[in-house]
PDB file of all heavy atoms in Angstrom:
ATOM      1  N   PHE A  62     128.819 -15.165  70.878  1.00 91.00           N
ATOM      2  CA  PHE A  62     128.205 -14.216  70.079  1.00 91.00           C
ATOM      3  C   PHE A  62     128.515 -14.483  68.585  1.00 91.00           C
ATOM      4  O   PHE A  62     129.423 -15.134  68.221  1.00 91.00           O
ATOM      5  CB  PHE A  62     128.797 -12.851  70.417  1.00 91.00           C
ATOM      6  CG  PHE A  62     128.408 -12.261  71.660  1.00 91.00           C
ATOM      7  CD1 PHE A  62     129.294 -11.464  72.451  1.00 91.00           C
ATOM      8  CD2 PHE A  62     127.162 -12.500  72.253  1.00 91.00           C
ATOM      9  CE1 PHE A  62     128.828 -10.984  73.652  1.00 91.00           C
ATOM     10  CE2 PHE A  62     126.764 -11.918  73.455  1.00 91.00           C
ATOM     11  CZ  PHE A  62     127.701 -11.120  74.152  1.00 91.00           C
ATOM     12  N   THR A  63     127.562 -13.949  67.717  1.00 89.00           N
ATOM     13  CA  THR A  63     127.766 -13.830  66.348  1.00 89.00           C
ATOM     14  C   THR A  63     127.939 -12.324  66.137  1.00 89.00           C
ATOM     15  O   THR A  63     127.151 -11.549  66.480  1.00 89.00           O
ATOM     16  CB  THR A  63     126.556 -14.359  65.629  1.00 89.00           C
ATOM     17  OG1 THR A  63     126.396 -15.735  65.858  1.00 89.00           O
ATOM     18  CG2 THR A  63     126.734 -14.216  64.105  1.00 89.00           C
ATOM     19  N   ILE A  64     128.979 -11.973  65.394  1.00 88.00           N
ATOM     20  CA  ILE A  64     129.321 -10.576  65.050  1.00 88.00           C
ATOM     21  C   ILE A  64     129.190 -10.348  63.574  1.00 88.00           C
ATOM     22  O   ILE A  64     129.859 -11.084  62.796  1.00 88.00           O
ATOM     23  CB  ILE A  64     130.818 -10.222  65.538  1.00 88.00           C
ATOM     24  CG1 ILE A  64     130.974 -10.446  67.020  1.00 88.00           C
ATOM     25  CG2 ILE A  64     131.116  -8.813  65.199  1.00 88.00           C
ATOM     26  CD1 ILE A  64     132.391 -10.354  67.631  1.00 88.00           C
ATOM     27  N   LEU A  65     128.330  -9.519  63.177  1.00 86.00           N
ATOM     28  CA  LEU A  65     128.004  -9.170  61.810  1.00 86.00           C
ATOM     29  C   LEU A  65     128.398  -7.742  61.426  1.00 86.00           C
ATOM     30  O   LEU A  65     128.117  -6.914  62.240  1.00 86.00           O
ATOM     31  CB  LEU A  65     126.558  -9.515  61.543  1.00 86.00           C
ATOM     32  CG  LEU A  65     126.039 -10.889  61.867  1.00 86.00           C
ATOM     33  CD1 LEU A  65     124.556 -10.996  61.762  1.00 86.00           C
ATOM     34  CD2 LEU A  65     126.650 -11.938  60.949  1.00 86.00           C
ATOM     35  N   GLY A  66     128.796  -7.588  60.217  1.00 81.00           N
ATOM     36  CA  GLY A  66     129.078  -6.237  59.679  1.00 81.00           C
ATOM     37  C   GLY A  66     130.305  -5.637  60.191  1.00 81.00           C
ATOM     38  O   GLY A  66     130.418  -4.362  60.199  1.00 81.00           O
ATOM     39  N   ALA A  67     131.269  -6.383  60.664  1.00 79.00           N
ATOM     40  CA  ALA A  67     132.500  -5.814  61.209  1.00 79.00           C
ATOM     41  C   ALA A  67     133.629  -6.092  60.225  1.00 79.00           C
ATOM     42  O   ALA A  67     134.799  -6.537  60.666  1.00 79.00           O
ATOM     43  CB  ALA A  67     132.795  -6.400  62.602  1.00 79.00           C
ATOM     44  N   ASN A  68     133.405  -5.914  58.933  1.00 79.00           N
ATOM     45  CA  ASN A  68     134.427  -6.259  57.974  1.00 79.00           C
ATOM     46  C   ASN A  68     135.667  -5.384  58.029  1.00 79.00           C
ATOM     47  O   ASN A  68     136.748  -5.936  57.936  1.00 79.00           O
ATOM     48  CB  ASN A  68     133.788  -6.108  56.610  1.00 79.00           C
ATOM     49  CG  ASN A  68     132.666  -7.029  56.317  1.00 79.00           C
ATOM     50  OD1 ASN A  68     132.684  -8.113  56.891  1.00 79.00           O
ATOM     51  ND2 ASN A  68     131.710  -6.612  55.558  1.00 79.00           N
ATOM     52  N   SER A  69     135.570  -4.126  58.345  1.00 78.00           N
ATOM     53  CA  SER A  69     136.745  -3.242  58.481  1.00 78.00           C
ATOM     54  C   SER A  69     136.970  -2.888  59.964  1.00 78.00           C
ATOM     55  O   SER A  69     137.704  -1.888  60.221  1.00 78.00           O
ATOM     56  CB  SER A  69     136.636  -2.054  57.661  1.00 78.00           C
ATOM     57  OG  SER A  69     135.507  -1.297  58.023  1.00 78.00           O
ATOM     58  N   CYS A  70     136.298  -3.539  60.949  1.00 80.00           N
ATOM     59  CA  CYS A  70     136.344  -3.108  62.272  1.00 80.00           C
ATOM     60  C   CYS A  70     137.007  -4.204  63.155  1.00 80.00           C
ATOM     61  O   CYS A  70     137.194  -5.295  62.768  1.00 80.00           O
ATOM     62  CB  CYS A  70     134.901  -2.984  62.822  1.00 80.00           C
ATOM     63  SG  CYS A  70     134.042  -1.656  62.040  1.00 80.00           S
ATOM     64  N   SER A  71     137.246  -3.714  64.359  1.00 83.00           N
ATOM     65  CA  SER A  71     137.844  -4.623  65.426  1.00 83.00           C
ATOM     66  C   SER A  71     136.947  -4.425  66.644  1.00 83.00           C
ATOM     67  O   SER A  71     136.739  -3.342  67.133  1.00 83.00           O
ATOM     68  CB  SER A  71     139.301  -4.271  65.703  1.00 83.00           C
ATOM     69  OG  SER A  71     139.734  -4.892  66.791  1.00 83.00           O
ATOM     70  N   VAL A  72     136.398  -5.485  67.084  1.00 87.00           N
ATOM     71  CA  VAL A  72     135.516  -5.514  68.248  1.00 87.00           C
ATOM     72  C   VAL A  72     136.280  -6.253  69.413  1.00 87.00           C
ATOM     73  O   VAL A  72     136.755  -7.298  69.324  1.00 87.00           O
ATOM     74  CB  VAL A  72     134.181  -6.220  68.041  1.00 87.00           C
ATOM     75  CG1 VAL A  72     133.376  -6.244  69.271  1.00 87.00           C
ATOM     76  CG2 VAL A  72     133.395  -5.563  66.911  1.00 87.00           C
ATOM     77  N   GLU A  73     136.414  -5.561  70.623  1.00 89.00           N
ATOM     78  CA  GLU A  73     137.106  -6.223  71.702  1.00 89.00           C
ATOM     79  C   GLU A  73     135.989  -6.497  72.833  1.00 89.00           C
ATOM     80  O   GLU A  73     135.249  -5.616  73.207  1.00 89.00           O
ATOM     81  CB  GLU A  73     138.113  -5.189  72.264  1.00 89.00           C
ATOM     82  CG  GLU A  73     138.953  -5.705  73.288  1.00 89.00           C
ATOM     83  CD  GLU A  73     140.064  -4.844  73.746  1.00 89.00           C
ATOM     84  OE1 GLU A  73     139.787  -3.859  74.525  1.00 89.00           O
ATOM     85  OE2 GLU A  73     141.149  -4.983  73.287  1.00 89.00           O
ATOM     86  N   LEU A  74     136.055  -7.693  73.281  1.00 91.00           N
ATOM     87  CA  LEU A  74     135.194  -8.117  74.334  1.00 91.00           C
ATOM     88  C   LEU A  74     136.030  -8.510  75.549  1.00 91.00           C
ATOM     89  O   LEU A  74     136.977  -9.261  75.401  1.00 91.00           O
ATOM     90  CB  LEU A  74     134.345  -9.334  73.886  1.00 91.00           C
ATOM     91  CG  LEU A  74     133.372  -9.058  72.791  1.00 91.00           C
ATOM     92  CD1 LEU A  74     132.895 -10.297  72.162  1.00 91.00           C
ATOM     93  CD2 LEU A  74     132.222  -8.220  73.262  1.00 91.00           C
ATOM     94  N   LYS A  75     135.616  -7.968  76.748  1.00 94.00           N
ATOM     95  CA  LYS A  75     136.343  -8.204  77.966  1.00 94.00           C
ATOM     96  C   LYS A  75     135.363  -8.887  79.018  1.00 94.00           C
ATOM     97  O   LYS A  75     134.264  -8.461  79.153  1.00 94.00           O
ATOM     98  CB  LYS A  75     136.877  -6.889  78.538  1.00 94.00           C
ATOM     99  CG  LYS A  75     137.889  -6.249  77.733  1.00 94.00           C
ATOM    100  CD  LYS A  75     138.277  -4.881  78.362  1.00 94.00           C
ATOM    101  CE  LYS A  75     139.287  -4.168  77.481  1.00 94.00           C
ATOM    102  NZ  LYS A  75     139.693  -2.898  78.054  1.00 94.00           N
TER     103      LYS A  75
END
Side-chain angles (χ1 to χ4, degrees):
F62 289 148
T63 298
I64 300 172
L65 303 169
N68 297 330
S69 63
C70 297
S71 171
V72 176
E73 186 174 82
L74 294 166
K75 297 178 182 179

